[in-house]
Amino acid sequence: MHKDVIVIGAGISGIAAGYHLKKKCSNKTFSILEARNNIGGTWDLFKYPGIRSDSDMHTLGYRFKPWISKKSIADGPSILKYLDDTVKDYDLKKNILFNHKVLNANWNSKKSYWSLIVEANGKSKEITCNFLFLCGGYFSYSKPHMPTFKDQENFRGDVIHPQFWNSEIDYKNKRVIVIGSGATAVTLAPEIAKETKHVVMLQRSPTYVVSWPSEDKINLFLRKILPLKISYFLVRWKNILYQSYTYFVAKKFPKKLKEQLIQRIKNELGNNYDVEKHFTPSYMPWDQRICLVPDSDLFKAIKSGQLSIQTDIIDKFESDGIILKSGKKIEADLIVTATGIELNALNDINVSIDNNKVNPNERLTYKGMMLSGVPNFALSFGYVNASWTLRTDLTCEYVCRLIKLMDKKNVLSCTPIDDLEAYGNDKLIDFTSGYIKRGLKMMPKQGNKSPWKNYQNYIKDIFAVRFMSIDDTNLKFHNSKD
């Protein structure tokens, strides 16, 4: 089988790619290869209680499809339905091939196409394409971060990572420890606390946590007086500008913002709660993602006594709980290790050029979307300081513009140059989160100047992708169709 474009992954990014290709490159054939048996990516993978968005749905939703629910912070099933509706609305199901896992992708320079080795329903087959677009996310679906703790095998209850949660896990009326302080922990812990005997959120160090209403009052008001598309546009831009502003403040006045965030938590929990110990990180805001707490659910669970926070280091496991370095013991019947994800590179695909392996860590990202020296290749990687989908939509627009530019130039391939002057020691993502630090060695690098540098700035990227010329000296067009 041969297609003009192959998209990897049928999650948020892959579905966006399908929409844009169908609308803007209608003369091109394409397929979306999905390794699993359903759409949705992250939102189909995670099944743990309380799974929800950690961004508002006016920016996590697509620019081209308004989010119509009243809740701006949405649960996983609602997001999955939104994605399913998108696929139906734009007739993309026929373009998706399920249970198609790409193992290898080799660029053939002589023939100017990609040759993919795909495991399809248990059998191996070859698929070729002119352009390869990776939209399979940034973390491993099969291998989360699962550190081994001393004497873990002695614990007589179940130890489960949220990535492997299933409906058979029984937590009702049990003592539960949730290890972690990130988005998964602050989502899952207050949700299961409603039905457990007690939940302890055990963290090595605190994370910034901010309460946010699940329903946007401005959105609800505008929907009463304006057409849906207009109100969606206005609320989307309100949130985009607010995200940009808070990130700017975090970088310009980090200490001031830190004081404000901590004061908000003190207002939630009162003066008698040890906010300094349990909710005051050692790093500055937006050195890691700030965790969103809808309608103060985490703080309400703490104040009700259903949930408590312990900030300490694990010494060892025992048959009925965990011993901390301080000597304190936390008893448990179930332990949930919300210890994070593992980054993957190039969607876990072995990418090569003329059978020479591509090491992404030796390549620079071009506009955060392509790799230096790799022809007809793009990857979708969202923002870390804003909603993933904002960047996804722009990347799809850029890929479509590039494909049309190649047609206009009557060439078969396009490659970002290997700009030796752009090389620096800059990491791809300027974050201190554990999963980022662990995975950077396998990720592409960014350069020391444009267009090899990632600015994490949606407004700047809009102009670069949507309005400015994409035909520049850093792109090499070659192999004429004639």
Side-chain angles (χ1 to χ4, degrees), residues 180-336:
S181 60
T184 301
V186 302
T187 298
L188 187 147
E191 182 65 23
I192 63 174
K194 298 172 183 177
E195 299 183 86
T196 60
K197 186 176 291 185
H198 187 73
V199 173
V200 175
M201 199 174 97
L202 175 57
Q203 59 183 16
R204 183 172 53 187
S205 58
T207 299
Y208 287 105
V209 178
V210 61
S211 179
W212 201 259
S214 60
E215 294 187 0
D216 187 322
K217 291 182 180 179
I218 295 177
N219 170 51
L220 298 179
F221 171 73
L222 291 177
R223 284 174 54 157
K224 292 178 181 178
I225 61 174
L226 295 172
L228 178 61
K229 286 186 177 181
I230 296 176
S231 65
Y232 180 73
F233 171 83
L234 292 175
V235 175
R236 180 179 171 88
W237 269 101
K238 169 185 75 74
N239 293 349
I240 288 170
L241 294 174
Y242 181 76
Q243 289 170 4
S244 299
Y245 170 73
T246 55
Y247 187 72
F248 168 79
V249 170
K251 295 303 179 183
K252 194 76 172 176
F253 310 104
K255 290 183 180 179
K256 186 67 175 178
L257 182 60
K258 180 173 183 173
E259 290 174 3
Q260 292 176 358
L261 292 175
I262 301 306
Q263 185 58 51
R264 288 180 66 168
I265 296 173
K266 289 179 179 178
N267 294 341
E268 292 274 2
L269 296 175
N271 294 326
N272 294 328
Y273 192 86
D274 195 347
V275 172
E276 180 68 28
K277 180 177 182 180
H278 300 307
F279 284 101
T280 305
S282 58
Y283 57 89
M284 290 298 172
W286 280 117
D287 284 347
Q288 297 182 23
R289 267 187 89 93
I290 296 174
C291 289
L292 201 62
V293 175
D295 302 323
S296 300
D297 65 353
L298 177 69
F299 305 124
K300 290 175 182 176
I302 292 172
K303 287 188 287 187
S304 72
Q306 298 169 308
L307 185 152
S308 59
I309 308 285
Q310 286 288 336
T311 305
D312 208 330
I313 296 173
I314 295 172
D315 181 33
K316 62 180 179 177
F317 279 43
E318 288 195 341
S319 62
D320 59 346
I322 292 177
I323 302 293
L324 305 176
K325 287 289 186 183
S326 63
K328 183 174 182 177
K329 180 176 180 177
I330 309 175
E331 295 183 343
D333 306 301
L334 171 68
I335 296 175
V336 182

Side-chain angles (χ1 to χ4, degrees), residues 107-163:
W107 172 258
N108 187 318
S109 296
K110 290 183 178 179
K111 297 181 179 179
S112 294
Y113 66 58
W114 287 96
S115 176
L116 314 180
I117 302 301
V118 182
E119 187 181 272
N121 298 300
K123 297 181 180 179
S124 179
K125 71 177 185 180
E126 181 184 23
I127 297 175
T128 58
C129 65
N130 300 107
F131 199 100
L132 182 60
F133 191 9
L134 303 192
C135 295
Y138 65 104
F139 67 91
S140 171
Y141 279 23
S142 59
K143 185 186 175 185
H145 180 58
M146 298 179 67
T148 300
F149 300 99
K150 183 181 177 182
D151 297 335
Q152 184 173 324
E153 68 279 1
N154 292 340
F155 182 64
R156 67 184 177 213
D158 290 327
V159 179
I160 182 73
H161 192 285
Q163 198 161 316

